[in-house]
């Protein structure tokens, strides 16, 4: 991963040196950090409520992978 402050220069290298067509970035908080802090920062940045966020997430769930059971999402077939 890269630090947020390095994102712009990272994208410039990817596009100019390696001719990559970057169409978006994804931010994941470090595993050893309190993720609620980052989640709340994301909600604030995107101007979404937590409920709106989960509505968007749920709208992209694929029916052949996920099913709703008693109000909770479950994976249809576990892979081991």
């Amino acid at each position: 991963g890269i630090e947020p402050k390095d994102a712009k220069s990272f994208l410039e290298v990817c596009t100019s040196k390696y001719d990559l067509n970057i169409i978006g970035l994804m931010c994941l908080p470090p595993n050893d950090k309190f993720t609620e802090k980052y989640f709340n920062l994301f909600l604030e940045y995107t101007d979404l409520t937590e409920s709106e966020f989960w509505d968007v997430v749920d709208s992209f769930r694929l029916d052949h992978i996920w099913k709703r059971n008693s109000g909770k999402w479950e994976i249809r077939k576990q892979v081991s």
Side-chain angles (χ1 to χ4, degrees):
I2 63 169
E3 293 290 325
K5 65 179 176 54
D6 299 326
K8 186 175 181 179
S9 59
F10 174 75
L11 287 172
E12 288 172 1
V13 169
C14 289
T15 55
S16 62
K17 184 174 182 178
Y18 297 105
D19 198 30
L20 297 175
N21 183 19
I22 307 293
I23 58 172
L25 297 175
M26 184 169 75
C27 178
L28 298 174
N31 285 335
D32 62 340
K33 302 288 183 184
F34 183 58
T35 57
E36 187 174 332
K37 169 187 172 184
Y38 298 99
F39 181 61
N40 290 330
L41 285 172
F42 174 80
L43 292 177
E44 184 180 323
Y45 179 77
T46 57
D47 198 29
L48 291 171
T49 65
E50 184 173 349
S51 178
E52 291 168 330
F53 170 83
W54 289 115
D55 287 344
V56 171
V57 169
D58 291 344
S59 75
F60 284 93
R61 290 187 191 267
L62 301 175
D63 291 339
H64 67 283
I65 297 175
W66 295 93
K67 66 179 176 181
R68 196 115 166 128
N69 186 10
S70 300
K72 294 185 179 183
W73 287 102
E74 296 178 349
I75 294 178
R76 290 186 181 274
K77 190 179 240 186
Q78 293 290 330
V79 177
S80 52

Coordinates of all heavy atoms in Angstrom, one line a residue:
G1 N 0.8 -1.2 0.0 CA 0.0 0.0 0.0 C 0.9 1.3 0.0 O 2.1 1.2 0.1
I2 N 0.2 2.3 -0.2 CA 0.9 3.6 -0.2 C 0.2 4.6 0.8 O -1.0 4.4 1.1 CB 0.9 4.3 -1.6 CG1 -0.5 4.5 -2.1 CG2 1.7 3.4 -2.5 CD1 -0.5 5.4 -3.4
E3 N 0.9 5.6 1.2 CA 0.3 6.6 2.1 C -0.6 7.5 1.2 O -0.3 7.8 0.0 CB 1.4 7.4 2.7 CG 2.2 6.6 3.7 CD 1.4 6.3 5.0 OE1 0.6 7.1 5.4 OE2 1.6 5.2 5.5
P4 N -1.7 8.1 1.8 CA -2.5 9.0 1.0 C -1.7 10.1 0.4 O -2.0 10.6 -0.7 CB -3.5 9.5 2.0 CG -3.6 8.4 3.0 CD -2.2 7.8 3.1
K5 N -0.7 10.6 1.1 CA 0.0 11.8 0.6 C 0.8 11.4 -0.7 O 1.2 12.3 -1.4 CB 1.0 12.3 1.7 CG 2.1 11.4 2.1 CD 3.0 12.0 3.2 CE 4.0 11.0 3.7 NZ 4.8 10.4 2.7
D6 N 1.1 10.1 -0.9 CA 1.8 9.7 -2.1 C 1.0 9.3 -3.3 O 1.5 8.9 -4.3 CB 2.7 8.5 -1.7 CG 3.7 8.9 -0.6 OD1 4.2 10.0 -0.6 OD2 4.0 8.0 0.2
A7 N -0.4 9.3 -3.1 CA -1.3 8.8 -4.1 C -1.1 9.5 -5.5 O -1.0 8.9 -6.5 CB -2.7 9.0 -3.7
K8 N -0.9 10.9 -5.5 CA -0.8 11.6 -6.7 C 0.4 11.2 -7.5 O 0.4 10.9 -8.7 CB -0.8 13.1 -6.5 CG -0.9 13.9 -7.7 CD -1.0 15.4 -7.5 CE -1.1 16.2 -8.8 NZ -1.2 17.6 -8.5
S9 N 1.6 11.1 -6.8 CA 2.8 10.8 -7.5 C 2.8 9.3 -8.0 O 3.3 8.9 -9.0 CB 4.0 11.1 -6.7 OG 4.0 10.4 -5.5
F10 N 2.1 8.5 -7.2 CA 2.0 7.0 -7.5 C 1.2 6.9 -8.8 O 1.6 6.2 -9.8 CB 1.3 6.3 -6.4 CG 1.0 4.9 -6.7 CD1 2.0 3.9 -6.8 CD2 -0.3 4.5 -7.0 CE1 1.7 2.6 -7.1 CE2 -0.7 3.2 -7.3 CZ 0.3 2.2 -7.3
L11 N 0.1 7.7 -8.9 CA -0.7 7.6 -10.1 C 0.0 8.1 -11.3 O -0.1 7.6 -12.4 CB -2.0 8.4 -9.9 CG -3.1 7.8 -9.0 CD1 -4.2 8.8 -8.8 CD2 -3.6 6.5 -9.6
E12 N 0.8 9.2 -11.1 CA 1.6 9.7 -12.2 C 2.6 8.7 -12.8 O 2.8 8.6 -14.0 CB 2.3 11.0 -11.8 CG 1.4 12.2 -11.6 CD 2.0 13.4 -11.0 OE1 3.3 13.4 -10.7 OE2 1.3 14.4 -10.8
V13 N 3.2 8.0 -11.9 CA 4.2 6.9 -12.3 C 3.4 5.8 -13.1 O 3.9 5.3 -14.1 CB 5.0 6.4 -11.1 CG1 5.8 5.1 -11.5 CG2 5.9 7.4 -10.5
C14 N 2.3 5.4 -12.5 CA 1.6 4.3 -13.1 C 1.1 4.7 -14.5 O 1.2 3.8 -15.5 CB 0.3 4.0 -12.3 SG 0.7 3.1 -10.7
T15 N 0.7 5.9 -14.7 CA 0.1 6.3 -16.0 C 1.2 6.7 -17.0 O 1.1 6.4 -18.2 CB -0.9 7.5 -15.9 OG1 -0.3 8.5 -15.2 CG2 -2.1 7.0 -15.1
S16 N 2.3 7.4 -16.6 CA 3.3 7.9 -17.5 C 4.4 6.8 -17.8 O 4.7 6.6 -18.9 CB 3.9 9.2 -17.0 OG 4.6 9.0 -15.8
K17 N 4.9 6.2 -16.7 CA 6.0 5.2 -16.9 C 5.5 3.8 -17.4 O 6.1 3.2 -18.2 CB 6.8 5.1 -15.6 CG 8.0 4.2 -15.7 CD 8.8 4.2 -14.5 CE 10.0 3.3 -14.6 NZ 10.9 3.3 -13.5
Y18 N 4.3 3.4 -16.8 CA 3.9 2.0 -17.2 C 2.6 2.0 -18.1 O 2.1 1.0 -18.4 CB 3.6 1.3 -15.9 CG 4.8 1.1 -15.0 CD1 5.0 1.9 -13.9 CD2 5.8 0.2 -15.4 CE1 6.2 1.7 -13.1 CE2 6.9 0.0 -14.6 CZ 7.1 0.8 -13.5 OH 8.3 0.6 -12.7
D19 N 2.2 3.2 -18.5 CA 1.0 3.3 -19.4 C -0.2 2.6 -18.9 O -0.9 1.9 -19.7 CB 1.4 2.9 -20.8 CG 0.5 3.4 -21.9 OD1 -0.1 4.5 -21.7 OD2 0.3 2.7 -22.9
L20 N -0.5 2.6 -17.6 CA -1.6 1.9 -17.0 C -2.8 2.9 -17.1 O -2.7 4.1 -16.9 CB -1.3 1.5 -15.6 CG -0.2 0.5 -15.4 CD1 0.0 0.3 -13.9 CD2 -0.6 -0.8 -16.1
N21 N -4.0 2.3 -17.4 CA -5.2 3.1 -17.4 C -5.9 3.0 -16.0 O -6.7 2.1 -15.8 CB -6.1 2.6 -18.5 CG -7.4 3.4 -18.6 OD1 -7.5 4.5 -18.2 ND2 -8.4 2.8 -19.3
I22 N -5.6 3.8 -15.1 CA -6.1 3.8 -13.8 C -7.5 4.5 -13.8 O -7.6 5.7 -14.2 CB -5.2 4.5 -12.7 CG1 -3.8 3.9 -12.8 CG2 -5.8 4.4 -11.3 CD1 -3.6 2.5 -12.4
I23 N -8.5 3.8 -13.3 CA -9.8 4.4 -13.3 C -10.4 4.7 -11.9 O -11.4 5.2 -11.7 CB -10.9 3.6 -14.2 CG1 -11.0 2.2 -13.6 CG2 -10.5 3.6 -15.6 CD1 -12.1 1.4 -14.2
G24 N -9.6 4.2 -10.9 CA -10.1 4.4 -9.5 C -9.1 3.9 -8.5 O -8.2 3.1 -8.9
L25 N -9.3 4.3 -7.3 CA -8.4 3.8 -6.2 C -9.3 3.3 -5.1 O -10.5 3.7 -5.0 CB -7.6 4.9 -5.6 CG -6.6 5.6 -6.6 CD1 -5.9 6.8 -5.9 CD2 -5.5 4.6 -7.0
M26 N -8.8 2.4 -4.3 CA -9.5 1.8 -3.2 C -8.7 2.0 -2.0 O -7.5 1.8 -2.0 CB -9.8 0.3 -3.4 CG -10.7 -0.3 -2.3 SD -11.3 -1.9 -2.7 CE -9.8 -2.9 -2.5
C27 N -9.3 2.4 -0.9 CA -8.6 2.7 0.3 C -9.0 1.6 1.4 O -10.2 1.4 1.6 CB -9.0 4.1 0.9 SG -8.2 4.5 2.4
L28 N -8.0 1.0 1.9 CA -8.2 0.0 3.0 C -7.5 0.5 4.2 O -6.3 0.7 4.1 CB -7.8 -1.4 2.6 CG -8.4 -2.0 1.4 CD1 -7.8 -3.3 1.0 CD2 -9.9 -2.2 1.7
P29 N -8.1 0.5 5.4 CA -7.4 0.9 6.6 C -6.4 -0.2 7.0 O -6.6 -1.4 6.6 CB -8.5 1.1 7.6 CG -9.6 0.2 7.1 CD -9.5 0.2 5.6
P30 N -5.3 0.1 7.7 CA -4.4 -0.9 8.2 C -5.1 -1.9 9.1 O -6.1 -1.5 9.8 CB -3.4 -0.1 9.0 CG -3.5 1.3 8.5 CD -4.9 1.5 8.0
N31 N -4.7 -3.2 9.0 CA -5.4 -4.2 9.8 C -5.2 -4.0 11.3 O -6.1 -4.5 12.1 CB -4.9 -5.6 9.4 CG -5.4 -6.1 8.1 OD1 -6.5 -5.6 7.7 ND2 -4.7 -6.9 7.4
D32 N -4.2 -3.3 11.7 CA -4.0 -3.2 13.1 C -4.5 -1.9 13.7 O -4.3 -1.5 14.8 CB -2.5 -3.2 13.4 CG -1.7 -2.1 12.7 OD1 -2.2 -1.5 11.8 OD2 -0.6 -1.8 13.2
K33 N -5.4 -1.2 12.9 CA -5.9 0.1 13.3 C -7.4 -0.1 13.6 O -8.1 -1.0 13.1 CB -5.8 1.2 12.3 CG -4.3 1.4 11.9 CD -3.6 2.1 13.0 CE -2.2 2.4 12.5 NZ -1.4 3.0 13.5
F34 N -8.0 0.8 14.4 CA -9.4 0.8 14.7 C -10.2 1.3 13.4 O -10.1 2.4 13.0 CB -9.7 1.8 15.8 CG -11.1 1.8 16.3 CD1 -11.7 0.6 16.7 CD2 -11.8 3.0 16.3 CE1 -13.1 0.7 17.1 CE2 -13.1 3.0 16.8 CZ -13.7 1.9 17.1
T35 N -10.9 0.4 12.7 CA -11.4 0.7 11.4 C -12.6 1.6 11.5 O -13.0 2.2 10.5 CB -11.8 -0.6 10.7 OG1 -12.7 -1.4 11.5 CG2 -10.6 -1.5 10.4
E36 N -13.3 1.7 12.6 CA -14.5 2.6 12.7 C -14.1 4.0 12.4 O -14.8 4.8 11.8 CB -15.2 2.5 14.1 CG -16.5 3.2 14.2 CD -17.2 3.0 15.5 OE1 -17.0 2.0 16.1 OE2 -17.9 3.9 15.9
K37 N -12.9 4.4 12.9 CA -12.4 5.8 12.6 C -12.4 6.0 11.1 O -12.8 7.1 10.6 CB -11.0 5.9 13.2 CG -10.3 7.2 12.8 CD -8.9 7.2 13.3 CE -8.1 8.3 12.7 NZ -6.7 8.3 13.1
Y38 N -11.8 5.1 10.4 CA -11.7 5.3 8.9 C -13.0 5.2 8.2 O -13.3 5.9 7.3 CB -10.7 4.2 8.3 CG -9.3 4.4 8.9 CD1 -8.9 3.6 9.9 CD2 -8.5 5.4 8.4 CE1 -7.6 3.8 10.5 CE2 -7.2 5.6 9.0 CZ -6.8 4.8 10.0 OH -5.6 4.9 10.6
F39 N -13.9 4.3 8.7 CA -15.2 4.2 8.2 C -16.0 5.5 8.3 O -16.6 6.0 7.4 CB -16.0 3.1 8.8 CG -17.4 2.8 8.3 CD1 -17.6 2.5 7.0 CD2 -18.5 3.0 9.1 CE1 -18.9 2.3 6.5 CE2 -19.8 2.7 8.7 CZ -20.0 2.4 7.3
N40 N -15.9 6.1 9.5 CA -16.6 7.4 9.7 C -16.0 8.5 8.9 O -16.7 9.4 8.4 CB -16.5 7.7 11.2 CG -17.5 6.8 12.0 OD1 -18.5 6.3 11.5 ND2 -17.1 6.6 13.3
L41 N -14.7 8.5 8.7 CA -14.0 9.5 7.9 C -14.5 9.4 6.4 O -14.8 10.3 5.7 CB -12.5 9.4 7.9 CG -11.8 9.9 9.2 CD1 -10.4 9.5 9.2 CD2 -12.0 11.4 9.3
F42 N -14.7 8.1 6.0 CA -15.2 7.9 4.6 C -16.6 8.4 4.5 O -17.0 9.0 3.5 CB -15.1 6.4 4.3 CG -15.7 6.0 3.0 CD1 -15.1 6.2 1.8 CD2 -17.0 5.5 3.0 CE1 -15.7 5.9 0.6 CE2 -17.6 5.2 1.8 CZ -16.9 5.4 0.6
L43 N -17.4 8.1 5.5 CA -18.8 8.5 5.4 C -18.9 10.0 5.4 O -19.7 10.6 4.6 CB -19.6 8.0 6.7 CG -19.9 6.5 6.7 CD1 -20.6 6.2 8.0 CD2 -20.7 6.0 5.5
E44 N -18.1 10.7 6.2 CA -18.0 12.2 6.2 C -17.6 12.7 4.8 O -18.2 13.6 4.3 CB -17.1 12.6 7.3 CG -17.1 14.1 7.4 CD -16.1 14.6 8.6 OE1 -16.1 13.9 9.6 OE2 -15.5 15.6 8.4
Y45 N -16.5 12.1 4.3 CA -16.0 12.5 3.0 C -17.0 12.4 1.9 O -17.1 13.2 1.0 CB -14.7 11.7 2.7 CG -14.1 12.1 1.3 CD1 -13.3 13.3 1.2 CD2 -14.2 11.3 0.2 CE1 -12.8 13.6 0.0 CE2 -13.7 11.6 -1.0 CZ -12.9 12.8 -1.1 OH -12.4 13.2 -2.3
T46 N -17.8 11.3 1.9 CA -18.7 11.0 0.8 C -20.1 11.6 1.1 O -21.0 11.5 0.2 CB -18.9 9.5 0.6 OG1 -19.2 8.9 1.8 CG2 -17.6 8.9 0.0
D47 N -20.3 12.2 2.3 CA -21.5 12.8 2.7 C -22.7 11.7 2.6 O -23.8 12.0 2.2 CB -21.9 14.0 1.8 CG -22.9 14.9 2.4 OD1 -23.0 14.9 3.6 OD2 -23.7 15.5 1.6
L48 N -22.4 10.5 3.1 CA -23.4 9.5 3.2 C -23.6 9.2 4.7 O -22.7 9.3 5.5 CB -22.9 8.2 2.6 CG -22.7 8.1 1.1 CD1 -22.0 6.8 0.7 CD2 -24.1 8.2 0.4
T49 N -24.9 8.7 5.0 CA -25.1 8.2 6.3 C -24.7 6.7 6.3 O -24.5 6.1 5.2 CB -26.6 8.3 6.7 OG1 -27.3 7.4 5.8 CG2 -27.1 9.7 6.6
E50 N -24.6 6.1 7.4 CA -24.2 4.7 7.4 C -25.3 3.8 6.8 O -25.0 2.9 6.0 CB -24.0 4.2 8.9 CG -23.5 2.7 8.9 CD -23.1 2.3 10.3 OE1 -23.0 3.1 11.2 OE2 -22.9 1.1 10.4
S51 N -26.5 4.2 7.0 CA -27.6 3.5 6.3 C -27.6 3.6 4.8 O -27.8 2.6 4.1 CB -29.0 4.0 6.8 OG -30.0 3.4 6.2
E52 N -27.3 4.8 4.3 CA -27.2 5.0 2.9 C -26.0 4.2 2.3 O -26.1 3.6 1.2 CB -27.0 6.5 2.5 CG -28.2 7.3 2.8 CD -27.9 8.8 2.7 OE1 -26.7 9.2 3.0 OE2 -28.8 9.5 2.4
F53 N -24.9 4.1 3.1 CA -23.7 3.4 2.6 C -24.1 1.9 2.5 O -23.8 1.3 1.4 CB -22.6 3.5 3.7 CG -21.5 2.5 3.4 CD1 -20.5 2.8 2.5 CD2 -21.4 1.3 4.1 CE1 -19.4 2.0 2.3 CE2 -20.3 0.5 3.9 CZ -19.3 0.8 3.0
W54 N -24.8 1.3 3.5 CA -25.1 -0.1 3.4 C -26.2 -0.4 2.3 O -26.1 -1.4 1.7 CB -25.5 -0.6 4.7 CG -24.4 -0.7 5.7 CD1 -24.2 0.0 6.8 CD2 -23.2 -1.6 5.5 NE1 -22.9 -0.3 7.4 CE2 -22.3 -1.3 6.6 CE3 -22.8 -2.5 4.6 CZ2 -21.1 -1.9 6.7 CZ3 -21.6 -3.1 4.7 CH2 -20.8 -2.8 5.8
D55 N -27.0 0.6 2.0 CA -28.0 0.4 0.9 C -27.2 0.3 -0.4 O -27.6 -0.5 -1.3 CB -29.0 1.6 0.9 CG -30.0 1.6 2.0 OD1 -30.2 0.5 2.6 OD2 -30.6 2.6 2.2
V56 N -26.2 1.1 -0.6 CA -25.4 1.1 -1.8 C -24.7 -0.2 -1.9 O -24.7 -0.9 -2.9 CB -24.4 2.3 -1.9 CG1 -23.4 2.1 -3.0 CG2 -25.2 3.6 -2.0
V57 N -24.0 -0.6 -0.8 CA -23.3 -1.9 -0.8 C -24.2 -3.1 -1.1 O -23.9 -3.9 -2.0 CB -22.6 -2.2 0.6 CG1 -22.1 -3.6 0.7 CG2 -21.5 -1.2 0.8
D58 N -25.4 -3.1 -0.5 CA -26.4 -4.2 -0.7 C -26.9 -4.2 -2.2 O -27.2 -5.3 -2.7 CB -27.5 -4.1 0.3 CG -27.1 -4.4 1.7 OD1 -26.0 -5.0 1.9 OD2 -27.9 -4.1 2.6
S59 N -27.0 -3.0 -2.8 CA -27.5 -3.0 -4.2 C -26.5 -3.6 -5.1 O -26.9 -4.0 -6.3 CB -27.7 -1.5 -4.6 OG -26.5 -0.8 -4.8
F60 N -25.3 -3.8 -4.8 CA -24.3 -4.5 -5.6 C -24.0 -5.9 -5.3 O -23.2 -6.6 -6.0 CB -22.9 -3.7 -5.6 CG -23.0 -2.4 -6.4 CD1 -23.3 -1.2 -5.7 CD2 -22.7 -2.4 -7.7 CE1 -23.3 0.0 -6.4 CE2 -22.7 -1.2 -8.4 CZ -23.1 0.0 -7.8
R61 N -24.7 -6.5 -4.3 CA -24.5 -7.9 -4.0 C -25.1 -8.7 -5.1 O -26.3 -8.5 -5.6 CB -25.2 -8.2 -2.7 CG -24.5 -7.6 -1.5 CD -25.1 -8.1 -0.2 NE -24.6 -7.4 0.9 CZ -23.6 -7.7 1.7 NH1 -22.9 -8.8 1.4 NH2 -23.2 -7.0 2.7
L62 N -24.4 -9.8 -5.5 CA -24.9 -10.6 -6.6 C -25.7 -11.8 -6.0 O -25.3 -12.5 -5.1 CB -23.7 -11.2 -7.3 CG -22.8 -10.2 -7.9 CD1 -21.5 -10.8 -8.6 CD2 -23.5 -9.4 -9.0
D63 N -27.0 -11.9 -6.6 CA -27.9 -12.9 -6.1 C -27.4 -14.4 -6.1 O -27.8 -15.2 -5.3 CB -29.2 -12.8 -6.8 CG -30.0 -11.5 -6.5 OD1 -29.7 -10.9 -5.5 OD2 -30.8 -11.2 -7.3
H64 N -26.5 -14.7 -7.1 CA -26.1 -16.0 -7.2 C -25.0 -16.3 -6.2 O -24.6 -17.5 -6.0 CB -25.6 -16.4 -8.6 CG -24.4 -15.6 -9.1 ND1 -24.4 -14.3 -9.5 CD2 -23.1 -16.0 -9.2 CE1 -23.2 -13.9 -9.8 NE2 -22.4 -15.0 -9.6
I65 N -24.5 -15.3 -5.5 CA -23.4 -15.5 -4.4 C -24.0 -15.3 -3.1 O -23.7 -16.0 -2.1 CB -22.3 -14.5 -4.7 CG1 -21.6 -14.9 -6.0 CG2 -21.3 -14.6 -3.5 CD1 -20.5 -13.9 -6.4
W66 N -24.9 -14.3 -2.9 CA -25.4 -13.9 -1.6 C -26.9 -14.2 -1.5 O -27.6 -14.1 -2.5 CB -25.2 -12.4 -1.4 CG -23.8 -11.9 -1.3 CD1 -23.0 -11.5 -2.3 CD2 -23.0 -11.9 -0.1 NE1 -21.8 -11.2 -1.8 CE2 -21.7 -11.5 -0.5 CE3 -23.2 -12.3 1.2 CZ2 -20.7 -11.3 0.4 CZ3 -22.2 -12.1 2.1 CH2 -20.9 -11.6 1.7
K67 N -27.4 -14.5 -0.3 CA -28.8 -14.6 0.0 C -29.1 -13.9 1.3 O -28.2 -13.9 2.2 CB -29.2 -16.0 0.0 CG -28.7 -16.9 1.2 CD -29.2 -18.3 1.1 CE -28.5 -19.1 2.2 NZ -28.9 -20.5 2.2
R68 N -30.3 -13.4 1.5 CA -30.7 -12.7 2.7 C -31.4 -13.8 3.5 O -32.4 -14.4 3.1 CB -31.6 -11.6 2.4 CG -31.8 -10.6 3.5 CD -31.2 -9.3 3.1 NE -31.6 -8.3 4.0 CZ -30.8 -7.5 4.6 NH1 -29.5 -7.5 4.4 NH2 -31.2 -6.6 5.5
N69 N -31.0 -14.0 4.8 CA -31.6 -14.9 5.7 C -31.8 -14.3 7.0 O -30.9 -13.9 7.7 CB -30.7 -16.2 5.8 CG -31.3 -17.3 6.6 OD1 -32.5 -17.3 6.9 ND2 -30.5 -18.3 6.9
S70 N -33.1 -14.1 7.4 CA -33.5 -13.5 8.6 C -32.9 -12.1 8.8 O -32.4 -11.7 9.8 CB -33.1 -14.4 9.8 OG -33.8 -15.6 9.8
G71 N -32.9 -11.4 7.7 CA -32.4 -10.0 7.7 C -30.8 -9.9 7.6 O -30.3 -8.8 7.7
K72 N -30.1 -11.0 7.5 CA -28.7 -10.9 7.4 C -28.2 -11.6 6.1 O -28.8 -12.5 5.6 CB -28.0 -11.7 8.6 CG -28.3 -11.1 9.9 CD -27.6 -11.8 11.0 CE -27.8 -11.1 12.3 NZ -27.1 -11.7 13.4
W73 N -27.1 -11.0 5.5 CA -26.6 -11.5 4.3 C -25.7 -12.7 4.6 O -24.9 -12.7 5.5 CB -25.8 -10.5 3.6 CG -26.6 -9.4 3.0 CD1 -26.8 -8.2 3.5 CD2 -27.3 -9.5 1.8 NE1 -27.6 -7.5 2.6 CE2 -28.0 -8.3 1.6 CE3 -27.5 -10.5 0.8 CZ2 -28.8 -8.0 0.5 CZ3 -28.3 -10.3 -0.3 CH2 -29.0 -9.0 -0.4
E74 N -25.8 -13.8 3.8 CA -25.0 -15.0 3.9 C -24.5 -15.4 2.5 O -25.2 -15.2 1.5 CB -25.8 -16.1 4.4 CG -26.4 -16.0 5.8 CD -27.2 -17.1 6.3 OE1 -27.6 -18.0 5.4 OE2 -27.5 -17.2 7.5
I75 N -23.3 -15.9 2.5 CA -22.8 -16.5 1.2 C -23.5 -17.8 1.0 O -23.7 -18.6 1.8 CB -21.3 -16.7 1.3 CG1 -20.6 -15.3 1.4 CG2 -20.8 -17.4 0.1 CD1 -19.1 -15.4 1.6
R76 N -24.0 -18.0 -0.3 CA -24.8 -19.2 -0.6 C -23.9 -20.4 -0.5 O -24.4 -21.4 0.0 CB -25.3 -19.1 -2.0 CG -26.4 -18.0 -2.2 CD -27.1 -18.1 -3.5 NE -28.1 -17.1 -3.7 CZ -29.4 -17.3 -3.3 NH1 -29.7 -18.4 -2.8 NH2 -30.3 -16.3 -3.4
K77 N -22.7 -20.4 -1.0 CA -21.9 -21.6 -1.0 C -20.5 -21.3 -0.5 O -19.8 -20.5 -1.1 CB -21.8 -22.2 -2.4 CG -21.2 -23.5 -2.5 CD -21.1 -24.0 -3.9 CE -21.9 -25.3 -4.0 NZ -21.8 -25.9 -5.4
Q78 N -20.1 -21.8 0.7 CA -18.8 -21.6 1.2 C -17.8 -22.3 0.4 O -18.0 -23.5 0.0 CB -18.8 -22.1 2.7 CG -19.7 -21.3 3.6 CD -19.1 -19.9 3.9 OE1 -17.9 -19.6 3.8 NE2 -20.0 -18.9 4.1
V79 N -16.6 -21.7 0.2 CA -15.5 -22.3 -0.4 C -14.5 -22.6 0.6 O -14.1 -21.8 1.4 CB -14.9 -21.4 -1.5 CG1 -13.7 -22.0 -2.2 CG2 -16.0 -21.0 -2.5
S80 N -14.0 -23.9 0.6 CA -13.0 -24.2 1.6 C -11.7 -24.7 1.0 O -11.6 -25.0 -0.1 CB -13.5 -25.3 2.6 OG -14.0 -26.4 1.9

